[in-house]
Amino acid sequence: PAETMEELVSLCKRRGFIFPGSDIYGGLQGTYDYGPLGVELKNNLKAAWWRANVYERDDIEGLDASILTHRLVLFYSGHEATFSDPLVDNRISKKRYRLDHLLKEQKPSVLQALSQAMGLHQEESLAALVSRLLAEPEKAALAMSTAQVIDPADGAPGDWTPPRPFNMMFKTQIGPVADEDSYGYLRPETAQGIFINFKNVLDATSRRLPFGIAQIGKAFRNEITPRNFIFRVREFEQMEIEYFVKPGTDEEWHQRWLETRLAWWEAQGIPREQIRVLDVPKEDLSHYSKRTFDLMYNFPTLGFEEIEGIANRSDYDLGSHTKGQAELKIQARVLENHHSTAKLAVQDPETKEWFVPFVIEPSAGVDRAVLAVLSQAYTKEKLENGEERIVLKLKPHLAPIKVAVIPLAKNKEEITSYARRLKADLQALGFGRVLYEDTGNIGKAYRRHDEVGTPFCVTVDYDTIGKSQDGSTTLQDTVTVRDRDTMQQERVAVKELPQYLLERLKS
Ligand code: ATP
């Protein structure tokens, strides 16, 4: 794995995986653009998730809901009221921080003094301290100054404003008339699009419990402090499943999904020992959650941080968005809904009673997955000749380029046209991108393809076209295949190449 975030960032820029957003105008904080190789890696990762969850199971349907979202969706979901992070400013440095992030950077003695000043026991969690500070903002400002809370930017004690909640949703005007009601939101999670389509999907597919709906798409959060490369950004993608189950079976399904998801990460090259499962403490749970497991990957520089949350959302969401709440014995605490036109419930086949399903939600970030996969694959090797090589040991199904076809002589028409034909034939096999590579010498090409994780380089030379130096034609229609990980080279007959590659590109 990579040792530092910097070496990853540098590789990503150098080889065209990821660039800072709006770079030529000074950048737009919290946005990144995926370059030629980044888009391939990201697409491959999303395809692997879709394949595992939609195609290889028979209990999950796909969906692609709109990003622009009616404000009532996010009112009844609870996001208008509670989807906020605590914010605090330092009046001296003019720096702005997320309160919990700021507190994480403080020495234990500072936190102790702060807890004491707020009337808390010192062994209370950080979350408890944050909510106490938010509950009494004036007192909090004073306490933060007397406890000498440090500004991480300059290491000096700050003059802190009272902390306040900051809603992270991007509000946007919809339509040409800017009146009071003409706004909506960019969705802060893809999940809500699934809940509000529950009845549509049910009616269209005649599904019975348990079943799920899967969606991959963009989500937007106005993060107070986007940071750590693509780990925390304002525009990102999520891969979410809402898996609907009968109340009472939810805890068992929650455990099953935990195992299923860990196995999926392993298949993407992330071994279990690199993931810590956090059983999120009660006081840290989101407003909708009964229980949540966070999967924390051991990132370089950052340490263990969340890549996926697997939440038991109870009957909160369907219960919030359904009409006729009163008859449905909803267990979660939901807002009274006066607007919904759909009954988001199912009928028990035996008792004929209507009830609201519980939901288990595995929710993974695509960008964090890209970062984790890149980080895990990044390998520095000392070679026998004393040189060092960087190689991305990506699982073949994730590699941006599967095979590079390299003509050994760039100005020998017979060789280049043979290589181009071979490229087209391999491309037609459908396992992903095959690149015709004729830049630089062969050594440089190998090194570049090691660095971007191309599993195989195929070289077309004089032997291939039947023009060996010794005049023999025994190697005609054979090519050299070089393996990324072992660097071994093998001579393979061109007519056996498709089978050879197909077998080895399965991961
Ligand atoms: P965090 O605590 O890190 O802000 P979260 O718990 O708010 O994350 P969820 O609401 O559970 O995140 O979202 C599910 C997944 O979406 C996360 O596990 C993460 O992979 C991804 N995600 C959330 N916020 C961001 C972000 N700002 N940038 C990139 N990915 C994100």
Side-chain angles (χ1 to χ4, degrees):
E3 279 162 23
T4 67
M5 193 61 92
E6 272 121 58
E7 59 189 2
L8 273 187
V9 175
S10 146
L11 175 82
C12 284
K13 175 106 202 251
R14 189 168 72 245
R15 292 303 188 195
F17 281 93
I18 299 162
F19 310 121
S22 304
D23 206 13
I24 67 166
Y25 290 106
L28 180 62
Q29 231 204 339
T31 66
Y32 284 90
D33 298 337
Y34 284 77
L37 298 179
V39 62
E40 300 289 346
L41 171 57
K42 191 163 140 178
N43 282 343
N44 291 341
L45 200 58
K46 290 191 280 184
W49 186 91
W50 195 264
R51 214 166 37 238
N53 291 299
V54 182
Y55 297 167
E56 288 171 9
R57 302 176 61 112
D58 285 309
D59 56 353
I60 295 188
E61 301 282 356
L63 182 77
D64 182 17
S66 64
I67 289 171
L68 285 175
T69 307
H70 196 296
R71 66 194 172 84
L72 286 179
V73 172
L74 293 155
F75 171 71
Y76 284 116
S77 71
H79 284 82
E80 272 195 343
T82 59
F83 194 66
S84 58
D85 273 339
L87 177 75
V88 67
D89 291 290
N90 179 356
R91 288 198 186 92
I92 306 170
S93 71
K94 307 282 180 229
K95 294 269 181 214
R96 178 165 287 176
Y97 292 97
R98 232 177 92 169
L99 183 58
D100 52 343
H101 289 172
L102 178 67
L103 295 184
K104 264 192 206 146
E105 310 257 341
Q106 304 301 315
K107 289 209 186 96
S109 59
V110 171
L111 292 179
Q112 266 171 27
L114 191 57
S115 296
Q116 218 161 35
M118 295 305 292
L120 283 179
H121 293 298
Q122 43 179 281
E123 64 271 17
E124 287 277 3
S125 72
L126 207 61
L129 180 56
V130 168
S131 42
R132 176 60 63 93
L133 292 165
L134 275 174
E136 294 181 82
E138 298 298 333
K139 187 171 167 187
L142 201 65
M144 286 175 67
S145 297
T146 44
Q148 303 229 312
V149 168
I150 300 290
D151 187 328
D154 55 15
D159 177 8
W160 302 103
T161 62
R164 58 195 186 279
F166 169 74
N167 195 295
M168 293 196 289
M169 287 198 292
F170 282 98
K171 205 172 182 177
T172 190
Q173 188 196 316
I174 296 179
V177 186
D179 62 30
E180 220 169 73
D181 287 339
S182 65
Y183 68 90
Y185 293 102
L186 304 187
R187 63 184 178 199
E189 58 177 22
T190 65
Q192 296 305 320
I194 297 181
F195 299 130
I196 60 175
N197 277 291
F198 177 76
K199 190 171 179 332
N200 286 336
V201 174
L202 204 61
D203 290 351
T205 62
S206 320
R207 285 284 180 185
R208 301 214 157 179
L209 297 184
F211 79 97
I213 303 177
Q215 174 166 228
I216 300 177
K218 291 260 173 158
F220 300 83
R221 296 182 188 179
N222 198 2
E223 297 278 355
I224 296 161
T225 38
R227 57 181 181 175
N228 298 329
F229 196 34
I230 54 169
F231 179 82
R232 187 175 302 287
V233 283
R234 291 187 169 133
E235 172 175 344
F236 56 100
E237 271 184 281
Q238 293 184 310
M239 308 183 275
E240 298 196 301
I241 297 163
E242 305 304 327
Y243 196 79
F244 302 101
V245 304
K246 208 173 158 178
T249 66
D250 51 304
E251 289 176 12
E252 190 195 327
W253 274 108
H254 197 197
Q255 288 293 340
R256 272 166 86 165
W257 271 109
L258 174 61
E259 289 310 316
T260 306
R261 294 301 303 147
L262 285 168
W264 183 83
W265 283 103
E266 188 142 40
Q268 312 317 310
I270 311 274
R272 286 200 186 198
E273 61 270 18
Q274 285 282 54
I275 294 184
R276 224 177 250 167
V277 179
L278 175 74
D279 192 345
V280 178
K282 275 238 153 9
E283 63 269 21
D284 290 354
L285 289 175
S286 316
H287 62 280
Y288 49 73
S289 172
K290 174 176 162 186
R291 190 178 181 192
T292 297
F293 299 125
D294 280 347
L295 307 190
M296 320 278 282
Y297 173 72
N298 192 8
F299 284 100
T301 308
L302 311 182
F304 286 92
E305 292 283 354
E306 176 180 338
I307 48 174
E308 169 161 356
I310 306 172
N312 181 344
R313 293 179 75 129
S314 74
D315 57 359
Y316 176 84
D317 301 279
L318 294 181
S320 294
H321 289 303
T322 188
K323 72 171 183 186
Q325 289 167 321
E327 294 108 66
L328 288 169
K329 302 206 188 89
I330 296 162
Q331 296 181 32
R333 268 194 24 215
V334 297
L335 289 170
E336 222 174 277
N337 195 315
H338 303 289
H339 294 85
S340 173
T341 58
K343 181 158 154 182
L344 306 181
V346 297
Q347 207 174 12
D348 187 306
E350 276 131 46
T351 65
K352 303 291 172 216
E353 213 184 343
W354 286 87
F355 66 92
V356 177
F358 268 43
V359 184
I360 306 300
E361 176 197 68
S363 168
V366 177
D367 310 80
R368 288 185 190 180
V370 167
L371 192 58
V373 160
L374 276 175
S375 160
Q376 190 66 36
Y378 189 98
T379 312
K380 244 191 234 159
E381 280 179 357
K382 262 256 169 332
L383 301 179
E384 274 168 17
N385 63 7
E387 279 179 28
E388 197 175 63
R389 75 158 182 161
I390 293 171
V391 50
L392 273 191
K393 295 195 169 172
L394 292 169
K395 292 271 183 185
H397 73 281
L398 296 179
I401 299 166
K402 309 300 180 195
V403 179
V405 179
I406 308 172
L408 197 66
K410 269 97 198 155
N411 42 18
K412 180 81 181 163
E413 210 277 328
E414 275 175 279
I415 290 184
T416 55
S417 61
Y418 196 109
R420 281 192 195 280
R421 261 197 325 273
L422 185 57
K423 179 240 130 119
D425 290 348
L426 295 179
Q427 189 62 67
L429 296 173
F431 51 56
R433 187 168 186 202
V434 179
L435 187 76
Y436 176 81
E437 172 72 77
D438 65 354
T439 53
N441 66 31
I442 186 94
K444 281 215 175 108
Y446 284 164
R447 185 153 313 169
R448 176 163 59 249
H449 282 286
D450 283 346
E451 258 194 42
V452 304
T454 307
F456 296 103
C457 288
V458 170
T459 307
V460 176
D461 54 21
Y462 283 93
D463 295 336
T464 315
I465 58 167
K467 301 220 165 130
S468 303
Q469 270 180 344
D470 61 6
S472 87
T473 53
T474 43
L475 292 178
Q476 191 168 356
D477 293 321
T478 66
V479 287
T480 302
V481 181
R482 176 183 179 273
D483 181 296
R484 173 195 72 195
D485 296 344
T486 63
M487 295 187 286
Q488 297 290 329
Q489 305 193 13
E490 243 187 292
R491 203 73 196 177
V492 179
V494 168
K495 67 174 187 318
E496 271 147 35
L497 195 56
Q499 195 52 34
Y500 180 97
L501 292 171
L502 281 169
E503 261 168 34
R504 289 164 177 77
L505 286 169
K506 270 191 272 174
S507 51

